[in-house]
Amino acid sequence: MIKTLNTILDIRGASGANRLIYYLQRLPVIGKMAKNDLYSRTGLKKTLTVIVLILKIIWGFLTKFAYLGIVVYWPVITIGKELPPAEQYQLYLQVLVIISCIVAAVSNAVILEPKRDKYICVKLMRLPADQYMHATLSLRTFSFFVYYIPAMCLFASLLQAPVWQGVLLALLLTAWRLGSEALHLWLFDYTDIVLVKKTGWVWTVIGVGFPLAYALLYAEVSFVDSAMLFNLPAGLAIAAIGVVAAVYIARYPRYRSAVDAVTKIDDPLLDMGRMMKESRVKDVETKEKDFSAEQLSPGQFQEKSGYAYLNAIFFSRHKRFLIQPIQRRMLIIGVLFAAGLLSMMVSPAMFTKMSHFLIGSLSYFVFIMNFTSIGEKVCKAMFYNCDISLLRYGFYRERTAVLSNFRIRLLRITALNLIPAGAICIAVNLLILLSDETWGIADAAGFCGAILGLSLFFSVHHLFMYYIFQPYSTELNLKNPFFTIVNSIVLAATIVCLRLESTPAYFAGMVLLTTVAYMTIALFLVYKYSGRTFRVK
């Protein structure tokens, strides 16, 4: 098995080194110095292989810290910040058990996942399927346990729990996940069902599991505690599950069939690039049912001319990318508002707690409004269904044409984004006014100002990013690293805002000042440079 594992690691290392060279070639300045002969330089490839291995190990530890910190620990200390550490720890364990032991056991199994690495090693390199699976599962189990230990110990100590419980929890989670891997294999053996490819079931489990975990957290109801997990019978039972699973996996006789079932050459999951391309195009391509006879009528916009006429036709014929997202957002807001009213009638205490949370949660709406905006998807639709063709003509790339289109589109996207923003303002203000909380006119005005300002900010942001960086290629791939960097900075800023605590009026003032400053800079840059940057790549 050691020899097989070394071969697998060599293949993965060479593949990782090739990808590293590929991405280095696409960086500014450095890319010009990275020539294609780098792929054939054995000594350099070995050095890059070591670098890739080190990066993977570092990434493995970082992902566990990020997962436990963002998905489990941070919601617990945010929602239950007034609870003592002992109670926070119980809620932390419950969220971890629901997500990592139930949801991830269904959605994140690797033994039957379609993977290019599996296809290359077994189908192309002719490694025995059983040896490949034994080696990769052993490495996966060991690394899973090792990566989790530091993160588990850190967050256990932050919640004033014994550090040894963090180590034991990592061990128990590893044993449980090994049992879930064996269960996937057993299900395939008796039914030929590859559960991880049943996306409907997988997303159902995710859609039920995550809300359940956070709903129990919000209600401060805990059915799982340290006494339940860290007693001797429970520990021995979970360890026994891991041992039995390991024996079953080691003796399983049909690995060749299992590998064949998930490494079909036409399976898009093996070609992530093709799958992502098809997904991106499908997300923004037009369909015959999108067009009605009225929309195709040439006389519908006779009163318009020039680029106003062009954009009016585009928006009329692509309502699916404009109206449907707004309708879905309005439906979600309506459902949440109805749930709030229902809690007022069923549990006044929970409604009061929810109202108190809404008053102090204005900073959360920075994050929410980023995803409420439809600007990014509309920009993709405009590129794929309009700009990708017209940008091939010189008149469409002229500065006056670019600025005219930018102005028309900005007004339309802003108007659409203000609809869910206004609905959020009405819903939140009504819920707080119906509660016993103090909520004056100044607070309501500040809240509404912040929400509307954020809506305006992200409307400008997405269109500004599109015109200055024009990140999309003909396959809708992101080809501009600066687009990703700036978007990441904005996303990081929204996450930082989650930790801010201030009055609605003060926060609204900061939002409006930031929006005005950002709009001024963005509009200036678009006016100055978009004539040169708005191109097909």
Side-chain angles (χ1 to χ4, degrees), residues 88-361:
Q88 290 180 341
Y89 186 52
Q90 309 312 315
L91 293 171
Y92 166 86
L93 291 176
Q94 177 168 272
V95 173
L96 182 63
V97 166
I98 293 175
I99 294 177
S100 293
C101 293
I102 300 176
V103 176
V106 175
S107 63
N108 198 29
V110 300
I111 197 164
L112 287 171
E113 68 174 347
K115 197 173 182 181
R116 185 182 295 184
D117 177 77
K118 191 177 296 183
Y119 177 81
I120 292 172
C121 291
V122 178
K123 290 296 188 69
L124 299 184
M125 303 299 293
R126 304 295 182 183
L127 290 178
D130 56 344
Q131 294 182 22
Y132 169 84
M133 295 300 295
H134 291 159
T136 54
L137 284 172
S138 299
L139 178 62
R140 161 79 177 182
T141 303
F142 175 75
S143 61
F144 184 88
F145 172 63
V146 172
Y147 289 154
Y148 258 120
I149 290 176
M152 289 287 192
C153 292
L154 172 65
F155 292 112
S157 63
L158 289 176
L159 294 171
Q160 300 182 17
V163 173
W164 65 266
Q165 289 189 2
V167 179
L168 182 56
L169 191 58
L171 180 61
L172 294 178
L173 182 59
T174 303
W176 182 268
R177 293 289 287 275
L178 190 60
S180 69
E181 296 283 355
L183 189 60
H184 279 261
L185 201 59
W186 177 85
L187 181 66
F188 171 77
D189 195 36
Y190 281 90
T191 64
D192 286 334
I193 292 176
V194 180
L195 187 58
V196 292
K197 296 180 71 173
K198 300 294 182 180
T199 54
W201 286 100
V202 171
W203 281 106
T204 298
V205 173
I206 294 173
V208 172
F210 274 85
L212 175 63
Y214 294 129
L216 293 174
L217 172 61
Y218 184 77
E220 297 179 3
V221 175
S222 177
F223 298 104
V224 178
D225 56 29
S226 54
M228 180 188 300
L229 286 177
F230 301 120
N231 63 68
L232 185 60
L236 291 176
I238 297 174
I241 290 174
V243 172
V244 173
V247 173
Y248 178 78
I249 290 171
R251 295 182 176 181
Y252 184 74
R254 294 183 58 209
Y255 276 119
R256 183 67 197 193
S257 299
V259 171
D260 288 342
V262 296
T263 56
K264 297 177 182 178
I265 190 61
D266 60 343
D267 193 334
L269 290 173
L270 290 177
D271 189 346
M272 188 60 67
R274 177 165 68 91
M275 184 182 71
M276 294 302 293
K277 175 190 172 183
E278 292 175 355
S279 176
R280 286 189 295 264
V281 172
K282 186 177 181 180
D283 191 41
V284 296
E285 67 180 355
T286 56
K287 301 177 182 178
E288 186 177 350
K289 65 180 181 180
D290 292 338
F291 305 121
S292 63
E294 181 182 356
Q295 290 171 329
L296 296 174
S297 174
Q300 186 181 4
F301 303 106
Q302 289 295 334
E303 74 282 1
K304 298 182 181 295
S305 61
Y307 293 109
Y309 178 71
L310 171 67
N311 282 281
I313 293 176
F314 174 82
F315 290 129
S316 174
R317 295 182 179 181
H318 298 82
K319 287 183 178 180
R320 182 164 62 91
F321 307 118
L322 305 170
I323 305 303
Q324 287 186 6
I326 297 297
Q327 290 174 337
R328 286 193 291 267
R329 285 157 174 76
M330 294 295 289
L331 177 62
I332 293 171
I333 294 168
V335 170
L336 293 176
F337 178 70
L341 293 178
L342 182 62
S343 70
M344 179 181 65
M345 294 181 288
V346 174
S347 176
M350 181 177 290
F351 179 71
T352 300
K353 185 178 179 181
M354 180 193 69
S355 302
H356 181 71
F357 175 76
L358 287 175
I359 290 175
S361 65

Side-chain angles (χ1 to χ4, degrees), residues 506-517:
Y506 180 73
F507 192 83
M510 290 194 301
V511 168
L512 293 175
L513 286 175
T514 303
T515 300
V516 170

Side-chain angles (χ1 to χ4, degrees), residues 425-442:
C425 292
I426 294 171
V428 172
N429 277 290
L430 282 176
L431 289 173
I432 296 176
L433 290 174
L434 290 172
S435 70
D436 297 330
E437 299 291 335
T438 302
W439 188 249
I441 296 177

